[in-house]
Amino acid sequence: MYQTYTLKEKIRQILILLVPILVTQLGMFSMVFFNTIMSGKYGPSDLAGVAIGTSVWNPVFTGLSGILLAVSPICAQKYGQRKDREAASVLAHGILLALALSAIVIAIGAILLDPILNAMDLPASVRKTAKGYLMGLGIGVIPLFIFNVLRSFIYALGKTRVVMIILLSSLPINFFLNYVLIFGRLGFPELGGAGAGLATSITYWVIAGLTVWIVKTQHPFSDYVSINYFKRLSMERVKEILQIGIPMGLSIFFETSMFAVVTILLSKFSITTIAAYQSALNIVSFLYMIPMSISMAQTVLVGYEVGARRYADARTYSWLGINLAIIIAVFAGLLVVLFRYDVAGFYSNQQDVIELTGQFLIYALFFMIADAIQATALAALRGYKDVNLAFVMTLIAYWLICLPVGHVLAHFTGLGARGYWIGLTLGLLAAGIALSIRLIYIQKKKFIPIENQEGGIA
């Protein structure tokens, strides 16, 4: 990263960071896609088992990895301040924290996995696949969490292309392992859907290994790596990561779990409604990777400028990210609405499902705009390390607006399942407005451009 002076330079800088992050996110999405598609080709119970396993794993992973993502804004600020030793210390403590969280997840999984699956009252074949899939994923928890720390650190230095290359190079490995472990080809055991979990974990080990090797051997990353930082355990440094990371992780967890709850609530509707909702949600989730990628680049850039005390530039990056996300959401949303029935046809051959999915996608346009605003406003606040009030705002929006409003509209009006889309949109819009107001406040009151402060340029 480097200091920019014009809006054109800032747009170029954010795009340089954004594109590799987006490709990386699409690559990670494709791994889940491979798991789902190949398990479905093996058998319907395996597809169901992988889907159940994914629904159990996702809230846990996204919530805990959100804690580790705090390494990104913290290191970005340290990098902007030219405090390289402190950034190196944050990296080391982030890895130690990743190891601790991995041990906790594995221990809790060993205790609670069977009770959770038993409570779902699943068919025996589906339960067996779900358990095998989750146990397979468990083997990859340690490298996955370490990779997230290293990825956050690499992003903080603005070298996003490195992670993209690592992930893209691992996709053929993941595809190959899925094929041979699910179907039992080339002498490998035939594990069905459970093989997808093992294939994913082996891929995580490969990704983590490549990332560790690059960080240890390649400049500028190797400048921040020293065994000495692992020997100097600082509770102050751990506290710094947790103070930023826990609100980030909880915010991500509550957002992910909110969608899981909506899925459960929709289970009372017809199979057609459930299928249409899942299809529309999958489309929206895929497109959400764009504002999510913008938000990750935005957090790094805002953090870097705040660390360098260039508050005017930090403010520009904040609103540049928000405006860019809105423009893309409007453009992508309009395309989805215009071609909604064609898009829906990729997910089902049944005309009633296609029709209802198309109706849901009309609401999805407004959902995407609201989600783009709240995601990027939240990301900008993370760049300022202002996360506590932001967490409270999102918690209220997700659980006291999205779900109650959606439930009332779905069950006490004639909207039916469409009411949940409206509830989700209104809640996300409320979050976006509240977070934007908070962003304006801290920019005017706490991070005033130095040249605008009383007394002139400091």
Side-chain angles (χ1 to χ4, degrees):
M1 289 184 294
Y2 52 87
Q3 183 178 1
T4 54
Y5 300 93
T6 66
L7 181 61
K8 183 178 179 180
E9 289 178 343
K10 286 179 171 58
I11 293 173
R12 182 174 182 273
Q13 173 96 298
I14 199 170
L15 289 176
I16 288 173
L17 266 66
L18 165 64
V19 173
I21 292 175
L22 177 58
V23 174
T24 300
Q25 293 301 127
L26 292 174
M28 296 185 76
F29 179 86
S30 68
M31 290 176 63
V32 178
F33 181 77
F34 289 158
N35 291 346
T36 304
I37 294 298
M38 290 190 173
S39 298
K41 294 294 184 182
Y42 187 82
S45 63
D46 291 83
L47 175 60
V50 169
I52 293 294
T54 301
S55 66
V56 172
W57 169 242
N58 274 347
V60 176
F61 163 65
T62 55
L64 292 177
S65 65
I67 297 175
L68 301 175
L69 292 178
V71 169
S72 191
I74 295 172
C75 281
Q77 285 200 12
K78 303 294 186 189
Y79 183 53
Q81 295 166 343
R82 298 294 184 261
K83 295 181 178 179
D84 293 348
R85 290 187 178 182
E86 291 188 20
S89 178
V90 170
L91 171 62
H93 283 80
I95 292 173
L96 292 174
L97 188 58
L99 292 172
L101 290 176
S102 300
I104 292 171
V105 170
I106 293 170
I108 292 177
I111 297 170
L112 296 181
L113 180 56
D114 281 325
I116 290 173
L117 294 177
N118 291 337
M120 293 183 179
D121 193 25
L122 301 169
S125 58
V126 174
R127 184 191 182 284
K128 180 182 177 182
T129 298
K131 181 177 180 179
Y133 178 73
L134 287 168
M135 290 178 66
L137 285 178
I139 298 172
V141 168
I142 293 174
L144 176 60
F145 281 14
I146 290 176
F147 168 70
N148 274 322
V149 172
L150 296 175
R151 177 173 66 145
S152 297
F153 168 70
I154 292 171
Y155 283 175
L157 301 189
K159 307 295 183 181
T160 56
R161 189 179 300 178
V162 173
V163 180
M164 177 188 72
I165 294 172
I166 292 171
L167 194 75
L168 290 180
S169 64
S170 69
L171 288 181
I173 298 172
N174 179 251
F175 183 83
F176 170 78
L177 291 173
N178 265 301
Y179 176 71
V180 297
L181 290 174
I182 291 175
F183 297 99
R185 307 294 194 222
L186 302 178
F188 286 83
E190 184 177 347
L191 302 176
L198 182 58
T200 302
S201 284
I202 296 173
T203 307
Y204 288 153
W205 280 102
V206 172
I207 292 172
L210 287 172
T211 310
V212 168
W213 178 75
I214 287 175
V215 169
K216 285 187 64 177
T217 61
Q218 302 298 311
H219 178 78
F221 315 117
S222 57
D223 298 340
Y224 297 83
V225 178
S226 172
I227 193 66
N228 293 327
Y229 291 110
F230 290 91
K231 296 178 180 178
R232 303 170 188 168
L233 181 62
S234 168
M235 293 310 298
E236 190 67 28
R237 193 69 69 203
V238 173
K239 182 181 177 182
E240 181 182 15
I241 297 173
L242 292 178
Q243 281 180 332
I244 304 299
I246 289 177
M248 288 176 61
L250 288 175
S251 181
I252 295 171
F253 171 77
F254 283 120
E255 182 178 10
T256 306
S257 58
M258 174 190 67
F259 285 101
V261 169
V262 171
T263 302
I264 293 171
L265 293 173
L266 278 168
S267 63
K268 297 180 180 179
F269 288 84
S270 67
I271 294 176
T272 298
T273 300
I274 297 170
Y277 171 78
Q278 290 293 346
S279 298
L281 184 62
N282 189 270
I283 295 165
V284 170
S285 298
F286 178 77
L287 292 174
Y288 174 68
M289 291 183 189
I290 300 175
M292 181 172 67
S293 299
I294 293 173
S295 70
M296 296 175 76
Q298 186 184 14
T299 295
V300 170
L301 289 168
V302 172
Y304 175 69
E305 298 296 348
V306 169
R309 295 176 61 81
R310 294 190 290 265
Y311 300 142
D313 290 331
R315 182 170 57 192
T316 301
Y317 276 123
S318 298
W319 296 103
L320 179 60
I322 292 172
N323 291 328
L324 180 61
I326 293 172
I327 291 170
I328 294 176
V330 171
F331 179 74
L334 287 174
L335 285 178
V336 168
V337 170
L338 288 173
F339 299 99
R340 59 189 181 277
Y341 296 116
D342 300 283
V343 174
F346 286 113
Y347 290 85
S348 178
N349 295 322
Q350 299 180 19
Q351 191 59 37
D352 52 350
V353 174
I354 293 174
E355 288 288 339
L356 188 54
T357 302
Q359 293 179 33
F360 286 159
L361 288 176
I362 295 175
Y363 294 94
L365 166 63
F366 304 100
F367 172 91
M368 288 166 59
I369 296 171
D371 207 12
I373 296 171
Q374 73 94 26
T376 47
L378 184 59
L381 288 170
R382 288 171 178 167
Y384 288 101
K385 297 200 296 189
D386 187 86
V387 294
N388 291 321
L389 186 57
F391 160 65
V392 174
M393 289 175 174
T394 54
L395 178 62
I396 292 172
Y398 298 155
W399 287 86
L400 297 184
I401 299 178
C402 286
L403 287 177
V405 172
H407 181 76
V408 169
L409 293 176
H411 295 277
F412 297 96
T413 70
L415 290 169
R418 293 186 294 272
Y420 281 110
W421 281 109
I422 297 174
L424 290 169
T425 302
L426 291 176
L428 292 173
L429 182 60
I433 293 172
L435 293 167
S436 297
I437 292 172
R438 175 63 180 173
L439 182 59
I440 292 170
Y441 172 80
I442 67 167
Q443 288 173 343
K444 287 186 175 181
K445 300 295 183 180
K446 296 185 177 183
F447 296 91
I448 307 169
I450 295 176
E451 62 270 19
N452 293 339
Q453 293 179 16
E454 186 176 349
I457 298 176

